Amino acid sequence: MPAVNLGMPAAPPPVLAPRRRSRQIRVGSVLVGGDAPVSVQSMTTTPTTDINATLQQIAELTASGCDIVRVAVPSQDDADALPIIARKSQIPVIADIHFQPKYVFQAIDAGCAAVRVNPGNIRQFDDKVGEIAKAAKDAGVSLRIGVNAGSLDARLLQKHGKATPEALVESAVWEAGLFEEHDFHDFKISVKHNDPIVMVQAYRQLAARGDWPLHLGVTEAGPAFQGTIKSATAFGILLGEGIGDTIRVSLSAPPVEEIKVGLQILQSLNLRERKLEIVSCPSCGRAQVDVYTLADQVTAGLEGMTVPLRVAVMGCIVNGPGEAREADLGVASGNGKGQIFVKGEVIKTVPEHEIVATLIEEAQRIADELGPDAPTGTAQVVTA
């Protein structure tokens, strides 16, 4: 019987809903909105004044798949560092501006791809909109109107009592209108909140009010585990409804972890091509091997593998053969040995202590067959 490829599909499965129609803007070399892929952002945690450390972190983010990076500009010294960072970064740099409108103009002059402005805490921001719009338009720089629950305009807090979805949206729509009055349209909007439910409600309302491209974020989402859950919940709802053009997962963790989570969310929703995927069973009383260790060892052994490949690591005879058969590469383990499947066919049976090495060897062989032009990606582990 000829081998049949039952692994990674040639074309991605359908998404849950069509993308919302939004206007398209440019953030340096990255298109945001319209039919552009949903992009993934993060923010450096180094002092922006430490140019070498900041560029090193940007390089790490770039290698992890980050599309756009944001840097903080709280002081004049930070603003002075922007020209070098913007010039040497491999990906577009967004300057994050609060409190001082003068830094907006310096960021534009420095060659930043975009500027994030927070209307709630920039002094006399509305009075500066016309000047900001002209400077940004002349330089071909886009903006993000970044409304945040933690820094909402005091007038809106007094009106609504707290940072409700309606308050966030009212702030965003008001500021968008001011820029549009100056014939400036190259901006995206975010309405971030730390509560995923409030955040989802705000973005739904905002999406219904206009065609602005939207930057999704659960602000201050928390430590890695909690923040991942909150972000995946909120992003899954909104992106599943077609809402969202660029995302940032806000974690109390190294920025590279934000990119890993963001990319996994997009891949899970078929908004990015699925890459190296390890399907492993959660284990149970039927398991006849240490599935946890086996899955961890296979994941570690395939780190750096960048081809689209589904690898199944299964621990018993109930679902094991079926899952292994439907992967590009898999093992169904039991009784101290493992059946190795490639493209739906059993190619050999090996002792348990040879399973990891055999899977890595076969994965490398498949990668070599795909060649250097195969799409690149990052490993993910999915428990079946």
Side-chain angles (χ1 to χ4, degrees):
M1 177 178 175
V4 178
N5 183 358
L6 297 174
M8 302 299 285
V15 295
L16 290 172
R19 285 277 298 282
R20 161 183 168 268
R21 288 186 174 273
S22 61
R23 77 171 67 135
Q24 190 171 83
I25 66 170
R26 182 178 291 277
V27 180
S29 59
V30 177
L31 295 175
V32 175
D35 59 357
V38 178
S39 54
V40 182
Q41 303 188 24
S42 185
M43 187 171 183
T44 55
T45 58
T46 55
T48 305
T49 51
D50 189 339
I51 295 174
N52 289 336
T54 300
L55 287 172
Q56 176 60 37
Q57 195 168 76
I58 290 175
E60 293 168 0
L61 285 166
T62 303
S64 72
C66 184
D67 298 306
I68 300 168
V69 65
R70 186 156 43 108
V71 299
V73 188
S75 72
Q76 183 61 55
D77 288 341
D78 297 299
D80 291 340
L82 288 176
I84 298 176
I85 293 172
R87 185 174 71 253
K88 292 191 174 182
S89 172
Q90 306 97 317
I91 55 178
V93 172
I94 297 178
D96 191 69
I97 308 297
H98 300 265
F99 305 114
Q100 292 285 353
K102 67 178 181 179
Y103 299 147
V104 175
F105 301 103
Q106 286 187 246
I108 293 172
D109 291 340
C112 290
V115 180
R116 182 272 177 107
V117 293
N118 188 336
N121 61 20
I122 293 183
R123 290 195 293 270
Q124 299 179 328
F125 179 78
D126 290 356
D127 296 337
K128 298 288 185 180
V129 166
E131 294 176 55
I132 293 172
K134 183 180 187 307
K137 182 183 290 189
D138 290 347
V141 170
S142 61
L143 303 175
R144 170 158 72 94
I145 298 174
V147 178
N148 194 299
S151 53
L152 196 62
D153 188 292
R155 294 167 294 183
L156 291 172
L157 284 175
Q158 184 176 12
K159 175 180 177 180
H160 293 273
K162 59 181 180 179
T164 63
E166 291 74 19
L168 295 170
V169 172
E170 183 175 340
S171 175
V173 172
W174 169 259
E175 301 299 340
L178 292 180
F179 278 102
E180 289 167 343
E181 285 180 3
H182 292 279
D183 196 29
F184 185 81
H185 306 276
D186 293 330
F187 61 86
K188 57 185 180 292
I189 303 177
S190 62
V191 282
K192 295 187 176 183
H193 198 285
N194 58 51
D195 184 323
I197 302 302
V198 176
M199 176 266 201
V200 167
Q201 292 172 332
Y203 277 99
R204 282 174 170 169
Q205 292 180 26
L206 186 60
R209 297 285 296 270
D211 67 347
W212 311 288
L214 302 182
H215 169 92
L216 302 188
V218 178
T219 191
E220 295 100 27
F225 178 77
Q226 174 183 292
T228 295
I229 299 300
K230 290 170 71 172
S231 297
T233 299
F235 292 1
I237 293 170
L238 290 169
L239 292 168
E241 295 174 359
I243 297 172
D245 301 290
T246 183
I247 65 172
R248 191 258 173 118
V249 178
S250 298
L251 301 178
S252 299
V256 166
E257 296 304 310
E258 297 183 349
I259 299 305
K260 291 179 180 178
V261 174
L263 289 173
Q264 292 301 312
I265 292 171
L266 294 181
Q267 289 180 27
S268 297
L269 293 166
N270 293 324
L271 295 172
R272 288 282 182 104
E273 183 183 11
R274 296 194 184 199
K275 305 296 185 179
L276 178 60
E277 181 178 3
I278 299 178
V279 180
S280 63
C281 68
S283 193
C284 68
R286 296 188 300 266
Q288 297 176 329
V289 297
D290 183 351
V291 177
Y292 302 150
T293 299
L294 193 61
D296 285 345
Q297 289 177 343
V298 172
T299 301
L302 295 179
E303 185 176 4
M305 181 75 65
T306 58
V307 299
L309 188 71
R310 179 178 287 123
V311 181
V313 181
M314 307 302 295
C316 82
I317 61 172
V318 175
N319 294 320
E323 291 284 0
R325 186 174 289 112
E326 293 203 13
D328 291 301
L329 172 64
V331 60
S333 308
N335 295 322
K337 57 188 178 182
Q339 282 188 313
I340 306 297
F341 290 76
V342 175
K343 306 296 184 182
E345 297 291 327
V346 177
I347 63 164
K348 65 177 76 173
T349 299
V350 300
E352 183 177 338
H353 69 274
E354 294 182 11
I355 288 174
V356 174
T358 303
L359 288 176
I360 294 171
E361 179 183 346
E362 291 298 324
Q364 187 58 59
R365 184 182 60 78
I366 294 171
D368 291 342
E369 290 177 356
L370 289 172
D373 295 329
T376 58
T378 54
Q380 61 177 316
V381 177
V382 181
T383 56

